[in-house]
Amino acid sequence: MKLSLFGRLAMAVFASLALGLGMTACEGGTIGYMWVLGQQYNQIAGFKIDDYSGNLTNVQGSPFSSNGTLPVSLVIKPGGRFVYVINQGTCPTAGCGTATNTGQTIAVFSVGGDGVLTFQQSYQSQGYDSQWAQFDSTGTYLYVLDKYAPESSCNASNAPKPAACTYGAITVYSSDSTTGRLTLVTNSQTQVGGVNTTYWTVGPSPFMMKTLAGCLLTANSGNQSISPYTIGSGGQLTFTTTQTFFTATGNMTSINGSGSLLYVTDAANNIIDGYTVGSSCALATVNGGNTANLTGTSNPTYTYIDSTNKYLYVLNQSSTSTTPGTSFSTISAFTINSTNQELQPISGAPYTVGSGPVCMAEDPTNQYFYISNHNDGTLTGKFFNPSTGQLSQLSRGSTFNAVGEVSCLAISGSVN
């Protein structure tokens, strides 16, 4: 079939536009940027997410240095212009909790055209052995969680240390909307020697936290507890009640949530604990309480609620299979009952992912989910069905190489 002159000209114009937008016959435009932490080489892998297929392609210049040692957590400031990477660092010879870890930093990056990261500046949290980071709901205040509080009595020697040294700390910063720079916020409620402290003490050996419903809640492995704080004016934290104990016999491995719902995974018992966050950040068990994980799954390590708050997903690092060579990692999937918050298994789950999944995120258009797999250094992509909550393989392959021993990932949409 021959095209008219007008038809040939139209085709040429479309081809030029497609090339300019980075499109092919099988690809759409970029709908978001993903950054993935690689602990093995202290790097950040950057990817562009394709609208048509969910395929990932490398951002120019990727991977980027994390500007620290052992990156464990990252957050994106609303608007997508700045990325904050928490480098845990490695223990000094005196031992963790006695001095600042080598390479422990909060590294700030600006996001340029096409998702390119540019390092701006590093900061130092007030405690030791950094674990996690969260923004408040406005993106103004950054909270950094450390496993050990900077008590002076903890710094004198490696052992023995007082019991107080087991407690963690939160450092609070205000984040400049124009430059992304951080300014330390002092604790207006606590003084030592007549001087306001530069941190807030939390429960023993905290490892993860979540901000939601005007609250900040930390998961503390030292006594299997959750420390609830209200977020007040100026980013100030107020400890509102006695610690809510999760379980004395469990093994809490993650805390996450959305809206007023909070979920905690217990690897020892392979269950998911659900809570609602109420007045003064008090926790109430949802109807049904503990929910057993799906049959065949084991070692739950992370939960994720989709953007519609209809579905809950649980990353499982292993299975219950006893056949050599058949243990594998999966995603459990549940529907959240909108009336009583009970969890109901989704047909077809669990779904297979790469080895050792640790984090999960959703693209800005709510079409695709991505999972970072620590053990094999890969990313798993899944197509998301918003009507059923079911996950399926991407059309052009669902496994992507990252940067070795990956930890968490984060996704941003347009950069404003």
Side-chain angles (χ1 to χ4, degrees), residues 45-325:
F47 297 94
K48 295 182 287 186
I49 304 173
D50 178 69
D51 184 20
Y52 178 80
S53 64
N55 192 49
L56 300 179
T57 56
N58 290 328
V59 166
Q60 183 179 358
S62 175
F64 309 93
S65 170
S66 72
N67 280 275
T69 305
L70 200 65
V72 291
S73 178
L74 75 166
V75 288
I76 301 170
K77 188 175 176 66
R81 292 182 57 199
F82 301 100
V83 174
Y84 299 80
V85 174
I86 307 303
N87 292 288
Q88 186 177 89
T90 55
C91 296
T93 56
C96 286
T98 64
T100 301
N101 290 356
T102 303
Q104 178 180 321
T105 65
I106 305 166
V108 183
F109 297 84
S110 62
V111 182
D114 221 19
V116 175
L117 293 183
T118 301
F119 172 68
Q120 298 297 308
Q121 191 171 345
S122 283
Y123 298 85
Q124 183 66 57
S125 62
Q126 299 300 290
Y128 314 121
D129 207 6
S130 298
Q131 303 287 313
W132 206 255
Q134 288 273 276
F135 266 111
D136 73 327
S137 60
T138 68
T140 303
Y141 296 98
L142 177 69
Y143 299 89
V144 179
L145 181 67
D146 293 320
K147 186 175 182 179
Y148 301 105
E151 302 289 347
S152 59
S153 58
C154 300
N155 303 333
S157 63
N158 186 31
K161 292 195 286 288
C165 299
T166 64
Y167 286 86
I170 296 174
T171 307
V172 183
Y173 299 91
S174 62
S175 170
D176 187 272
S177 59
T178 303
T179 65
R181 293 176 180 171
L182 300 178
T183 301
L184 185 65
V185 175
T186 58
N187 186 340
S188 64
Q189 306 160 57
T190 305
Q191 290 188 342
V192 176
V195 179
N196 290 95
T197 63
T198 54
Y199 61 93
W200 279 257
T201 301
V202 299
S205 299
F207 64 94
M208 190 178 289
M209 64 181 169
K210 180 65 180 178
T211 54
L212 76 168
C215 305
L216 184 151
L217 304 110
T218 70
N220 314 306
S221 63
N223 62 355
Q224 301 299 307
S225 70
I226 300 172
S227 296
Y229 299 83
T230 58
I231 300 175
S233 176
Q236 294 287 313
L237 298 176
T238 301
F239 189 55
T240 61
T241 182
T242 57
Q243 292 178 350
T244 303
F245 289 89
F246 164 54
T247 171
T249 59
N251 177 22
M252 187 163 35
T253 53
S254 73
I255 183 171
N256 208 351
S258 179
S260 61
L261 288 176
L262 184 76
Y263 289 97
V264 174
T265 52
D266 175 3
N269 300 297
N270 199 29
I271 59 175
I272 304 103
D273 263 21
Y275 300 94
T276 56
V277 182
S279 177
S280 298
C281 302
L283 299 181
T285 303
V286 300
N287 192 46
N290 300 339
T291 300
N293 206 351
L294 298 186
T295 301
T297 65
S298 179
N299 195 19
T301 189
Y302 191 81
T303 62
Y304 181 80
I305 299 178
D306 80 299
S307 59
T308 67
N309 290 333
K310 292 172 60 178
Y311 308 109
L312 174 73
Y313 299 90
V314 181
L315 302 184
N316 308 296
Q317 294 204 342
S318 54
S319 69
T320 58
S321 173
T322 58
T323 303

Side-chain angles (χ1 to χ4, degrees), residues 18-33:
L19 288 172
L21 293 172
M23 300 167 61
T24 71
C26 296
E27 294 184 348
T30 296
I31 53 174
Y33 301 104

